[in-house]
Amino acid sequence: MKEKSTSILIVDDLKIHRDYLNNILSSQDFGFMNIYEADNVDTAINILVENKIDLIFLDVEMPEKNGFELIKLLSSKGINAEVIFVTAYDRYAIQAIRNNALDFIIKPIDLKELENALNRYFEKKITNQNNIVSHEKYKGLLNSLTDSFQSNRIGLPTLHGFIFIDEKDIVQCEADNTYTTFHLIHNRKIIISKTLKECEEILNKLKFFRIHHSHLVNLNLIKEYVRGEGGHVTLINDQIIPVSRNKKQLFLSLIKKV
């Protein structure tokens, strides 16, 4: 499966995720010529313009500009590169993306899934199919992504696989060391082995806000806000959550837009 002429770009705002994927790609002796990294879309575009990149590993949710916006820029910049998404989003989008000759890997990365995705890439490269990366192909990808993700479903990893939920059903996420409890409507709870920081990264930044170091809340499901030093909120499940003093001003500016 070695292809010494292949250069890769990893785009993810979290260094720990970039390092993890870089280490896998390097240690497994896939034989890549160069592995570049970018923590945002603008840096990624600069790297893509200045270097011949064959394959992009792309996160979806990133601050300021997300992975979809990078896809839009590829065609306008005349960049030809295949894209493999690496994200915590739901598996139901896989088929839509594969219809556009791409692939989709769920975090945390499974080595076998990564190998399968790379095998698909190299098989296409051998037949020269991947050299045809056109405006229409990127347009098709964006249409598929829009249809697939508009319901804002996410997959939460469990011991036996994934539980799929809608973001709108999440009332709040509560930190417990390296675990996070998802409090859902109808008093349902799901505990997963991810930190609150990791959960914050996969949720819509316009709908969820970390009002306290241990609490990430759905802004649309706040029932009441009571002023004070930082103040506190009451959620629709009647949980009362304090607002950190250093988060107060940003929080108030956000709820005015909800």
Side-chain angles (χ1 to χ4, degrees):
M1 192 172 64
K2 294 181 179 180
E3 177 61 53
K4 293 292 186 181
S5 63
T6 299
S7 291
I8 285 178
L9 171 62
I10 301 170
V11 186
D12 195 309
D13 59 304
L14 291 183
K15 186 176 186 300
I16 187 172
H17 291 163
R18 297 196 308 273
D19 289 348
Y20 180 68
L21 182 53
N22 197 329
N23 288 337
I24 292 177
L25 295 173
S26 302
S27 65
Q28 294 297 317
D29 192 28
F30 291 113
F32 299 122
M33 183 171 65
N34 293 302
I35 301 177
Y36 300 88
E37 294 185 14
D39 62 359
N40 60 65
V41 169
D42 291 336
T43 300
I45 286 296
N46 289 336
I47 293 173
L48 287 160
V49 169
E50 295 173 3
N51 303 275
K52 174 63 174 71
I53 302 296
D54 303 288
L55 179 61
I56 305 170
F57 285 92
L58 180 61
D59 190 18
V60 174
E61 282 293 331
M62 292 179 286
E64 297 181 8
K65 297 177 183 176
N66 60 32
F68 302 160
E69 291 173 277
L70 178 60
I71 294 295
K72 293 177 184 177
L73 291 169
L74 293 179
S75 179
S76 65
K77 298 288 185 180
I79 296 167
N80 295 330
E82 287 288 354
V83 178
I84 296 176
F85 278 93
V86 183
T87 179
Y89 273 91
D90 191 340
R91 288 178 181 269
Y92 77 101
I94 293 177
Q95 192 57 50
I97 294 174
R98 283 183 175 163
N99 285 341
N100 289 280
L102 300 164
D103 219 316
F104 188 95
I105 301 174
I106 297 289
K107 295 177 182 177
I109 296 172
D110 177 81
L111 182 57
K112 187 62 179 177
E113 285 192 11
L114 176 61
E115 289 178 343
N116 289 340
L118 289 171
N119 277 327
R120 290 187 72 247
Y121 168 75
F122 287 122
E123 285 170 5
K124 289 180 59 188
K125 194 172 182 67
I126 290 171
T127 60
N128 292 321
Q129 292 177 12
N130 71 315
N131 290 329
I132 307 173
V133 186
S134 66
H135 172 74
E136 288 303 314
K137 178 176 177 178
Y138 289 133
K139 183 178 178 181
L141 169 60
L142 286 168
N143 289 339
S144 293
L145 289 171
T146 299
D147 293 341
S148 298
F149 286 101
Q150 65 182 6
S151 65
N152 293 319
R153 296 182 70 218
I154 60 171
L156 300 182
T158 68
L159 290 175
H160 306 292
F162 288 82
I163 295 177
F164 301 124
I165 61 174
D166 287 329
E167 282 190 345
K168 64 181 177 57
D169 293 337
I170 303 169
V171 181
Q172 68 132 328
C173 301
E174 182 178 6
D176 183 9
N177 295 318
T178 58
Y179 290 85
T180 297
T181 300
F182 278 69
H183 296 264
L184 309 179
I185 60 174
H186 307 307
N187 294 317
R188 292 174 57 213
K189 293 182 182 180
I190 299 174
I191 300 175
I192 67 171
S193 181
K194 280 184 177 292
T195 65
L196 188 60
K197 174 64 176 175
E198 291 176 297
C199 295
E200 184 179 8
E201 291 300 323
I202 68 174
L203 293 172
N204 190 316
K205 305 296 187 298
L206 299 177
K207 297 178 182 177
F208 291 85
F209 183 70
R210 194 166 179 174
I211 62 174
H212 183 275
H213 72 273
S214 297
H215 298 280
L216 179 70
V217 303
N218 186 334
L219 296 173
N220 290 311
L221 299 183
I222 294 174
K223 186 165 66 175
E224 181 184 24
Y225 169 70
V226 176
R227 296 181 183 276
E229 184 175 1
H232 68 263
V233 299
T234 302
L235 303 174
I236 63 165
N237 59 2
D238 292 326
Q239 285 187 286
I240 297 175
I241 310 295
V243 179
S244 296
R245 183 173 58 181
N246 63 345
K247 300 275 190 176
K248 181 177 179 179
Q249 292 306 315
L250 180 56
F251 167 70
L252 290 176
S253 68
L254 285 173
I255 60 174
K256 290 176 182 178
K257 300 176 183 179
V258 174

